[in-house]
Amino acid sequence: MTRFDCRAALIAMGFVLVALVWNGTAAAQIRFAVTLPAGSAEKPVTGRLIVVAHRRADGAASTREPRQMIGMNGPPAFGVDVENLRPGATVTVDSRADGFPFGLEQLPAGDYSVQAVLIRYTEVKRADGHRIWVPLSQERAVGPMFPGNLFSKPADTRLDPAASAPVALTLTETIGPIARAPDTPWIKRVRIKSKILSDFWGVPMTIGAEVLLPKDFAKHPGARYPAIYTFGHFGEPFNFNPDPASDTEDERRSATDANVKTGYQFAREWMGENFPRMVAITLETPSPYFIESYSLNSANNGPWGDAITKELMPYLEKRFRLIDQPYGRIVEGASTGGWEALALQLHYPDYFGGAWVFNPDPIDFSRYQLTDIYQDDNMFTLKVNEWQTQEKPFRRTREGQPLIDLRTLAALEAVLGSKGRSYYQLDIWQATHGPVGPDGYPVPLFDKKTGVIDKAVAQYMRENGYDLSAHLRDNWATLAPKLRGKINIFTGDMDDFYLNLAVYRFEEMIREKGGAEYPARFEYGRPRKGHNWHHTDWAGVVREVADHVRKTAPAGAPVEQWNY
């Protein structure tokens, strides 16, 4: 063999080795073999398979299963799509899987508790003609915790890239139904089928509410009451709990931090003799893309605004004797709910009589957290100068210390679901605000790997009214007269998610368009007040709303029973 032949042979051998490593047959790596056992499903399953690896400290067991820890502060997780997985089949999860906070090839050797969960998808044929698979649940739960999901028992094992065999996991368990709390004399729960949403999604869709009744509601059958529609509290309206045992030290600490009352403290005021008689309502509107619907009509998410205002609210007004006029409908919310409350007030200005908005999700997309989606090119990085870039944080402490950056959060959402189906924060923003792609799924605002922003999507968001600041600016002549005195916005100056920045821009826009005297209220918590800061406690919010309703009731309106 000549020197040339030897070199050619070595090169050829190198290509073979590279190919073997690429195919995963020779490279040392951690792998998981996840089996859907025979008899565990009536038909093939399509969904998202996630493996979670929680490090065991000194062999100690955790009080929670790994699947229950998935999240921004959770352990490493790795996800792959499965399509038509038949009972008895096995799926391999390896370095090709999406990984958080890094790829599987970077997971260090060690002792772990590992667990697999399979999020089931439902095939729907939407009214727009698209046939897609989505995580669909009518329950208030995050994607990995949906009833009907399959999961393995936690397995304590040693993970080592040098191991020759994959770690075997079997999906033997099923998440059961979520128990619904019974009605009480104060809290009533309702759920109705939405024809509007069912027609759009091609499957039965329901919407619901938890209704907090005022004192002596049953004693005054002829009375009609104003309603405060609360958004984003993930539970009973204003955290109402008449059980004194619920007033724990942890709840008192959390309530004090946000400048609100505990559930028991609020309940005592609500049930008191001299408290305004109103009805507080929390909507239950889980969509196929998130635990909250975001309450507006959306090309991807569906006609939630119409379903809420044309179906659910009229039903509630009739059943619970609510005032069916704009002055009697007030929207209130925090965080996600803050965006929903302001969005409903701006997009349905003749339907609602006022909005109390706390630390809302971005309401001005020139401050989509730390990004101007119209001017900036990248969601993840800030170009400081020709030589330096910095990663943009998603969350910070109230002293300004970054905790998790946007790139890492995007990696988590990529693990939880492809095509916008993570059931998490960045994806629901894009599903709500953005256009539908040719495949029927949301067109992302930015690439989850590189952070590059799609300016066509950004423009769509503005043109369709999801940038609430731009929507009000562009329609000022029509909206401003209808919104006078109705907007009340509150945020801490060190919001954990930088949401105060968009509020500043929103106020600047209003002062520019309407002048310093335009009646819109903005209050900022200082110093170092973070996410979910309130300017007053929940009882104080209700009292403010009651005063507002009395002042804005039209001339000649009958004296309502609530006004005593």
Side-chain angles (χ1 to χ4, degrees), residues 86-101:
R86 297 184 178 279
T90 297
V91 176
T92 298
V93 178
D94 56 23
S95 59
R96 293 169 292 185
D98 293 304
F100 165 83

Side-chain angles (χ1 to χ4, degrees), residues 93-403:
V93 178
D94 56 23
S95 59
R96 293 169 292 185
D98 293 304
F100 165 83
F102 40 65
L104 186 52
E105 71 281 357
Q106 298 181 55
L107 186 68
D111 295 321
Y112 291 85
S113 178
V114 298
Q115 189 173 28
V117 58
L118 178 55
I119 301 173
R120 288 176 177 264
Y121 289 168
T122 299
E123 186 179 29
V124 297
K125 184 177 181 181
R126 288 195 313 219
D128 60 6
H130 288 293
R131 189 181 295 272
I132 61 175
W133 290 86
V134 289
L136 189 62
S137 175
Q138 302 295 296
E139 301 295 341
R140 187 177 285 163
V142 295
M145 303 304 294
F146 279 177
N149 285 351
L150 301 165
F151 63 98
S152 68
K153 293 181 179 179
D156 293 341
T157 186
R158 174 82 180 172
L159 296 182
D160 191 338
S164 58
V167 176
L169 300 169
T170 305
L171 301 167
T172 57
E173 313 301 309
T174 302
I175 297 178
I178 297 176
R180 287 194 162 266
D183 285 358
T184 73
W186 296 96
I187 295 283
K188 307 299 179 183
R189 296 172 175 86
V190 300
R191 182 166 290 276
I192 64 171
K193 180 179 179 180
S194 167
K195 183 180 186 304
I196 292 172
L197 293 170
S198 300
D199 288 348
F200 176 83
W201 283 102
V203 294
M205 296 283 290
T206 64
I207 48 179
E210 293 181 346
V211 181
L212 174 59
L213 299 176
K215 182 179 177 63
D216 295 333
F217 178 82
K219 292 182 179 179
H220 301 280
R224 296 169 65 234
Y225 299 88
I228 310 176
Y229 291 96
T230 73
F231 295 84
H233 295 292
F234 301 101
E236 294 171 350
F238 294 106
N239 189 25
F240 174 91
N241 195 331
D243 182 3
S246 71
D247 197 13
T248 64
E249 180 62 32
D250 285 346
E251 186 173 357
R252 285 194 296 273
R253 186 183 303 110
S254 177
T256 299
D257 188 49
N259 195 33
V260 295
K261 282 183 164 61
T262 67
Y264 175 64
Q265 291 168 337
F266 174 70
R268 289 185 62 185
E269 293 213 40
W270 181 271
M271 297 184 297
E273 289 295 335
N274 298 316
F275 198 74
R277 303 299 198 258
M278 307 186 73
V279 175
I281 301 168
T282 292
L283 302 190
E284 290 187 2
T285 59
S287 86
Y289 287 106
F290 195 58
I291 196 170
E292 295 282 334
S293 69
Y294 274 73
S295 299
L296 287 190
N297 294 347
S298 165
N300 288 293
N301 216 21
W304 285 95
D306 287 350
I308 289 169
T309 59
K310 296 179 180 179
E311 291 179 324
L312 182 57
M313 288 182 176
Y315 172 84
L316 294 171
E317 288 170 354
K318 182 176 181 180
R319 177 166 173 179
F320 295 102
R321 309 196 311 269
L322 307 179
I323 297 171
D324 59 355
Q325 300 298 318
Y327 79 95
R329 302 186 190 105
I330 306 298
V331 285
E332 181 272 347
S335 194
T336 290
W339 193 93
E340 291 179 288
L342 185 60
L344 283 169
Q345 183 64 76
L346 265 59
H347 281 264
Y348 297 85
D350 297 320
Y351 195 78
F352 296 103
W356 267 251
V357 179
F358 297 91
N359 44 272
D361 286 0
I363 58 176
D364 186 310
F365 291 174
S366 70
R367 286 297 178 267
Y368 204 81
Q369 293 189 292
L370 290 171
T371 300
D372 182 338
I373 67 171
Y374 309 117
Q375 299 297 324
D376 296 350
D377 294 322
N378 197 284
M379 194 74 180
F380 297 159
T381 58
L382 170 68
K383 186 174 182 180
V384 180
N385 55 42
E386 181 181 358
W387 309 105
Q388 293 178 301
T389 60
Q390 294 290 333
E391 291 288 309
K392 293 179 184 176
F394 172 78
R395 187 174 189 176
R396 63 180 170 180
T397 69
R398 293 168 192 183
E399 294 182 344
Q401 180 66 44
L403 295 176

Side-chain angles (χ1 to χ4, degrees), residues 40-63:
S40 61
E42 297 179 356
K43 57 184 180 179
V45 178
T46 292
R48 187 69 172 178
L49 177 63
I50 301 170
V51 175
V52 190
H54 172 60
R55 195 195 295 270
R56 293 185 293 137
D58 300 323
S62 171
T63 56

